[in-house]
Amino acid sequence: VLANDLNPKAVEYLEKNVLCNNVADKVVVANMDGRDFIQQCVGAGAKGSSLPHHIVLNLPELSVELLLPAVRGAFCPCLWHRRSMPLVHLYTFSRHEDPEREVRERVAAALEVPEEWLEDFDTRRVGTHYLPKPSGDGRSGK
């Protein structure tokens, strides 16, 4: 498991959890920008190093537009030589009346691929009280 967080305090607790759960030999913890972390992991995998089977982008407000472009172009089958490519899980918010369609469009745009290339696309609705309140500038606010 390759784990990363930009927040040093979150990394501190992640490292404590790794030790408490006796998985230090299975988890590598990093404290860096998520985009750099993703590019480093994907780049290593494309060059033959081991690569995780799953990449989880758990920054709901920014995962599509900020983090997902970091994997753009990295999953070309010609680079992987018949190895399984990782499954990317991302969490995001949508206020659209058809959230699956809207998120699918955003993901395709972020990756610069046709929507048809997106596989295993699944969405789940949660209560609107989890959604950030919109701010006046078009971005979500806290």
Side-chain angles (χ1 to χ4, degrees):
V1 175
L2 304 174
N4 178 63
D5 202 296
L6 184 59
N7 181 336
K9 199 68 170 172
V11 169
E12 178 185 329
Y13 285 105
L14 179 57
E15 290 171 336
K16 287 179 182 180
N17 271 301
V18 166
L19 294 174
C20 288
N21 288 291
N22 297 315
V23 291
D25 60 328
K26 298 176 182 170
V27 179
V28 176
V29 178
N31 178 211
M32 58 192 296
D33 179 87
R35 294 165 295 194
D36 296 336
F37 180 76
I38 293 165
Q39 289 175 340
Q40 188 176 65
C41 292
V42 171
K47 293 177 185 157
S49 299
S50 82
L51 186 77
H53 296 282
H54 299 268
I55 297 173
V56 179
L57 306 178
N58 192 17
L59 188 59
E61 289 185 69
L62 303 171
S63 61
V64 175
E65 289 79 12
L66 182 68
L67 297 177
L68 196 55
V71 301
R72 187 184 303 140
F75 298 136
C76 174
C78 62
L79 297 174
W80 290 87
H81 308 290
R82 298 184 187 169
R83 290 184 289 154
S84 295
M85 292 185 271
L87 181 60
V88 178
H89 306 265
L90 68 91
Y91 299 86
T92 191
F93 297 122
S94 175
R95 291 184 178 276
H96 197 274
E97 66 181 45
D98 185 355
E100 183 170 342
R101 180 81 187 139
E102 188 261 347
V103 170
R104 183 179 279 277
E105 289 171 357
R106 287 172 46 212
V107 167
L111 292 174
E112 297 179 349
V113 299
E115 287 182 45
E116 300 79 46
W117 287 17
L118 303 176
E119 297 179 15
D120 300 325
F121 202 87
D122 187 27
T123 59
R124 169 174 78 93
R125 289 184 183 258
V126 296
T128 56
H129 58 282
Y130 290 110
L131 293 174
K133 295 186 184 348
S135 66
D137 64 1
R139 298 181 323 187
S140 60
K142 302 237 183 218

